Amino acid sequence: MTFPTDRQRLADQLKLGSDLLYLTRQDVENLGLTREAVLELTRQALVEHGHRRYEMPAKIGVHPHDNVFYHAMPAYLPGPGIVGMKWIECYPDNPRDFGLPQTTGLLVLNDVDTGVPLAVMDSAWLTAMRTPAVTVLAAAALHPDATTFGMFGCGVQGIEHVRYATSAMPHLETVHVYDTNEAAADALIAELRPELGVRIVKGESPEAVVKSAQVLSSATVILRRPLAVVKDEWVSAGQTILPCDLNTFWDPRTARRADKYIVDSVEEHELFASMGYFPDGLPEVVAETGEVLAGVKPGRESADEIIVNSNIGMAVCDIAVGHALMRRALEQGVGMRLPL
């Protein structure tokens, strides 16, 4: 799948400057954009980022409560001519306190030539899809022969990480999962065991999962102070660690002593460090994820390297997937046309 560039067809379908396409979450979910397509779109966006063919300021945000964030995430990809912004928020206590999703948000896409808005869509689904896509693309590049994968956090992100891992990691045989809420781990296993052709095992403890998997990821909460659930002494030579939760879940000593510390965006990690999310300091960054996927910088160079690859989400991936969703919706006649 490649980025579509037929602007005239888009203009004919949407009546630029007069119409705005609105897509609900159900619209987005029902469009049928496959995980394989999301993987390819995400890979292309990361490669563009790795070659510095983008404009994307570090995500700015506001924080009404200690465990809550709102992020404004604009981006521009000049190659395919895609520009837009995601406005997303995370309330970890929503499911328990209000029966609402933890993460909600909107994505806005604009026409590069005129600036007029093209579409507004729910962004929860595409965030849930592109986040694990980044993780497993990086895992496949950094640890291509891995047969074991460990996942901390068994919510929406955890479930999709396991699904995507089976698509992008060709040698994968066993997945180890762990959640402080044991029922969440049980639910993940019940949902995915019949669907996926790999063995899925519920970990007895964080230590047991760490010591059982070559590649590890975490999608838990994002907090300023590290929880350090995974102790540094549990991590051994040759492991690849891919957090989606900044510096929260892992002992900060692991990232500092890793042979390579790779991030999706240096600017974004430096911004988070300035806001206190890395109280012990941001480890030295040797490469960005896109640079590794683009072949600009090396990934794993020896079997015994410890590699930590922190991916906290980039708007270039969001707008790439969102643009494909918009085009698909226009082709299928899905969504509501709103007057500008």
Side-chain angles (χ1 to χ4, degrees):
M1 186 170 201
T2 58
F3 293 125
T5 57
D6 184 358
R7 181 184 179 275
Q8 186 55 52
R9 185 179 177 191
L10 177 63
D12 293 341
Q13 289 175 318
L14 197 55
K15 296 181 183 177
L16 295 186
S18 299
D19 289 347
L20 173 75
L21 181 67
Y22 175 69
L23 299 174
T24 67
R25 178 165 186 171
Q26 185 174 2
D27 289 336
V28 169
E29 291 180 355
N30 291 343
L31 281 170
L33 191 66
T34 65
R35 289 179 180 82
E36 290 73 19
V38 173
L39 278 169
E40 179 57 21
L41 290 161
T42 303
R43 185 194 66 78
Q44 292 179 33
L46 289 169
V47 169
E48 292 296 291
H49 187 269
H51 284 299
R52 297 285 185 261
R53 296 190 290 254
Y54 71 95
E55 183 178 358
M56 186 190 72
K59 61 181 81 171
I60 60 172
V62 293
H63 306 82
H65 308 289
D66 284 345
N67 66 339
V68 164
F69 65 77
Y70 288 70
H71 286 155
M73 301 170 61
Y76 169 48
L77 287 167
I82 304 173
V83 65
M85 186 185 81
K86 185 170 78 170
W87 174 241
I88 193 163
E89 59 282 337
C90 180
Y91 277 70
D93 296 334
N94 264 2
R96 182 192 66 205
D97 294 347
F98 301 103
L100 293 171
Q102 174 175 300
T103 301
T104 55
L106 295 171
L107 179 79
V108 180
L109 295 171
N110 295 74
D111 176 50
V112 172
D113 292 339
T114 65
V116 298
L118 299 174
V120 175
M121 69 184 71
D122 177 87
S123 66
W125 183 89
L126 71 86
T127 300
M129 294 296 111
R130 74 92 167 110
T131 302
V134 174
T135 297
V136 301
L137 286 167
L142 295 169
H143 215 127
D145 298 326
T147 59
T148 51
F149 178 77
M151 187 69 219
F152 293 105
C154 296
V156 172
Q157 282 294 336
I159 290 170
E160 289 304 326
H161 269 77
V162 174
R163 279 197 175 106
Y164 272 89
T166 61
S167 295
M169 300 171 68
H171 302 285
L172 189 62
E173 297 173 357
T174 305
V175 175
H176 301 266
V177 300
Y178 179 85
D179 197 297
T180 53
N181 177 4
E182 193 171 349
D186 290 334
L188 180 151
I189 292 170
E191 180 175 349
L192 297 185
R193 247 186 202 158
E195 174 185 332
L196 305 178
V198 298
R199 182 168 167 256
I200 306 177
V201 179
K202 182 169 68 175
E204 295 180 0
S205 66
E207 181 178 2
V209 172
V210 172
K211 292 183 175 180
S212 299
Q214 298 158 294
V215 176
L216 296 149
S217 186
S218 57
T220 60
V221 295
I222 296 177
L223 303 172
R224 282 188 172 87
R225 302 298 304 184
L227 297 175
V229 174
V230 174
K231 308 307 177 188
D232 180 55
E233 56 266 26
W234 301 343
V235 177
S236 58
Q239 288 186 296
T240 301
I241 299 168
L242 301 119
C244 300
D245 39 24
L246 279 177
N247 199 39
T248 303
F249 195 74
W250 304 81
D251 188 328
R253 292 176 296 174
T254 301
R256 290 201 300 273
R257 77 173 175 95
D259 297 285
K260 288 188 174 76
Y261 183 68
I262 299 168
V263 301
D264 52 358
S265 167
V266 171
E267 292 84 1
E268 289 189 1
H269 279 73
E270 287 176 343
L271 175 63
F272 276 99
S274 73
M275 295 163 59
Y277 283 89
F278 291 85
D280 298 315
L282 183 67
E284 180 182 353
V285 178
V286 302
E288 291 182 319
T289 307
E291 291 178 317
V292 174
L293 267 64
V296 174
K297 291 186 179 179
R300 178 173 296 281
E301 295 178 282
S302 68
D304 61 352
E305 282 184 319
I306 294 174
I307 299 178
V308 176
N309 178 200
S310 174
N311 297 296
I312 56 176
M314 297 194 300
V316 291
C317 300
D318 293 312
I319 64 170
V321 176
H323 190 260
L325 288 166
M326 177 187 68
R327 294 300 296 259
R328 198 175 183 91
L330 289 170
E331 290 167 2
Q332 296 180 9
V334 172
M336 182 183 298
R337 305 294 182 98
L338 300 175
L340 281 174

